Amino acid sequence: MELEATFPKITTHVLQEMKLKQEKIAMLTAYDFSMARILDQAGIDIILVGDSASNVMSGHKTTLPITLNDMIYHASSVMRAVKRALVVVDLPFGTYQGDSKEALHSAIRIMKESGANAVKLEGGEEIHESVERILTAGIPVMGHLGLTPQSIHKFGTYVVRATEEDEARKLVHDAHILEEAGCFALILEKIPAKLAGEVTKKVKIPIIGIGAGNQVDGQVLVLHDMLGITQEFSPRFLRRYHNLSEEIKGSVKAYISDVKSVDFPNEREQY
Ligand code: KIV
C-alpha cells in the first residue's frame, strides 16, 4: 500500500503535534519531480525546495544568484510529485529583505504559481515585518537562523555561528521574535548543539537543525550532500548515506563501454 494512503498529509499542525509528542521530524531538500516523488514515497515529513538549488542544481558558488522564477520552477516540479510531505520553499535573496510589501508579493507568487505549502526566510528581528505581512495572507512561514547562507558575504566564512555570547544571545532573542511573529517552525543551521537544545526548550514551535546537534525537534540535510552526489562539500555535520557520484560514474562508464563495443543495444533491446 502506498504510504500516502496510510498516513495523513503533513501540515503545520501535524508538525506542532510531533513536537508535543517528541516525535522527530525528518526533512530533506528536493528540487525536481523525480527526486521529490522518491522522498515523498519514502515518508519524508518536510521537503524543502531550498535555494541551495543555486549550488547543487545550477553550480553557483553561493545561494545569492537564484531568482524567484527559478524557485517557482523548482517548486512547481516538486509539487507535481508530492502527496504527503509538507513542501516549504525558500524566498531567494533580494525578494524579501528590507521591504515587507515585496516579501508578501514574492511569497504570494510562490504559493500561487507553484502550489507550495509554506515559505522560508532567513534572518531574525530584521525581517519580522516581512514575516508578519506574509502571514496576513495566510501563508505559513518557516524561519532560518544561525548560519544563513544568503548572508555569506557579511559572515565571510561558513564557520559555526553563535559560539560567542553576544551572537548566541541575539539568536535566542531572534528565535523568540520569529515565534511571536507567527513562524510555524525554525531552522537552526551550524550552531553549537547546546545552544540549539536551549532554543528548542524555550520556544513552542518545532526546531529543525542542520549541524545543530540532536537536542532539536528534527533534522534537515541537502539531498545531494547526503546522497554523495556533491563531492567537495564535507562538513563535520554531514552524514553521507551513499556515494552516488561514484555509482553514477560507474554506470555511465559501463554505458559508454557498451555503446562503443556495440554490446548495447542487443537483440532484445531493439524492434
Ligand atoms: O537551501 C537550503 O537547502 C537550506 C538548508 C540548508 C536548510 O536552507
Side-chain angles (χ1 to χ4, degrees):
M1 195 187 287
E2 287 289 305
L3 196 73
E4 64 267 15
T6 49
F7 288 87
K9 168 85 186 159
I10 303 288
T11 62
T12 57
H13 299 280
V14 172
L15 298 175
Q16 189 62 57
E17 280 169 25
M18 287 171 82
K19 169 149 182 151
L20 290 175
K21 287 190 276 181
Q22 297 187 347
E23 185 186 336
K24 297 287 183 186
I25 298 164
M27 173 170 175
L28 282 171
T29 64
Y31 321 98
D32 65 71
F33 175 85
S34 304
M35 287 292 190
R37 188 162 62 171
I38 296 169
L39 265 54
D40 195 48
Q41 288 173 350
I44 201 76
D45 298 313
I46 308 177
I47 291 181
L48 172 65
V49 184
D51 57 0
S52 49
S54 179
N55 309 101
V56 299
M57 300 302 285
S58 307
H60 293 295
K61 284 203 163 57
T62 71
T63 56
L64 275 64
I66 201 160
T67 67
L68 191 56
N69 283 344
D70 293 336
M71 292 305 295
I72 290 168
Y73 168 78
H74 288 299
S76 310
S77 309
V78 166
M79 286 311 294
R80 276 179 224 119
V82 172
K83 294 187 174 151
R84 176 181 172 272
L86 182 91
V87 178
V88 181
V89 182
D90 264 329
L91 284 192
F93 176 69
T95 66
Y96 63 95
Q97 293 96 339
D99 184 347
S100 64
K101 205 168 165 190
E102 190 182 356
L104 176 62
H105 178 70
S106 305
I108 287 177
R109 274 202 64 201
I110 286 184
M111 301 298 280
K112 213 180 178 78
E113 295 176 40
S114 76
N117 308 128
V119 295
K120 175 164 84 62
L121 281 68
E122 293 182 6
E125 189 163 14
E126 59 284 2
I127 58 141
H128 88 276
E129 265 178 39
S130 293
V131 171
E132 282 169 1
R133 195 147 187 175
I134 293 170
L135 280 158
T136 62
I139 300 171
V141 179
M142 179 180 266
H144 185 157
L145 296 171
L147 177 63
T148 45
Q150 291 179 12
S151 304
I152 186 58
H153 294 302
K154 184 177 93 183
F155 298 145
T157 151
Y158 286 99
V159 295
V160 184
R161 304 305 316 175
T163 51
E164 303 293 331
E165 210 179 309
D166 279 0
E167 198 179 333
R169 208 176 307 116
K170 174 164 169 29
L171 188 137
V172 174
H173 172 75
D174 282 343
H176 284 299
I177 297 268
L178 291 176
E179 178 180 40
E180 277 159 28
C183 283
F184 72 89
L186 298 181
I187 299 261
L188 294 183
E189 181 165 352
K190 217 168 176 185
I191 64 166
K194 190 163 168 278
L195 176 63
E198 273 169 36
V199 175
T200 305
K201 282 200 197 94
K202 281 182 179 154
V203 304
K204 294 193 175 65
I205 54 176
I207 301 294
I208 318 283
I210 172 165
N214 63 11
Q215 299 161 43
V216 289
D217 301 307
Q219 300 292 333
V220 58
L221 284 175
V222 170
L223 184 68
H224 290 60
D225 297 336
M226 63 85 82
L227 290 179
I229 298 174
T230 46
Q231 296 168 44
E232 52 295 305
F233 183 69
S234 52
R236 174 166 153 184
F237 69 76
L238 175 62
R239 184 177 294 182
R240 282 197 201 283
Y241 288 82
H242 235 297
N243 191 355
L244 220 49
S245 65
E246 284 310 308
E247 293 204 19
I248 294 171
K249 253 185 244 168
S251 304
V252 172
K253 280 183 183 165
Y255 168 74
I256 293 169
S257 159
D258 289 352
V259 169
K260 304 267 181 198
S261 63
V262 202
D263 178 71
F264 174 78
N266 62 25
E267 286 295 318
R268 282 172 287 108
E269 292 163 332
Q270 59 192 3
Y271 301 99

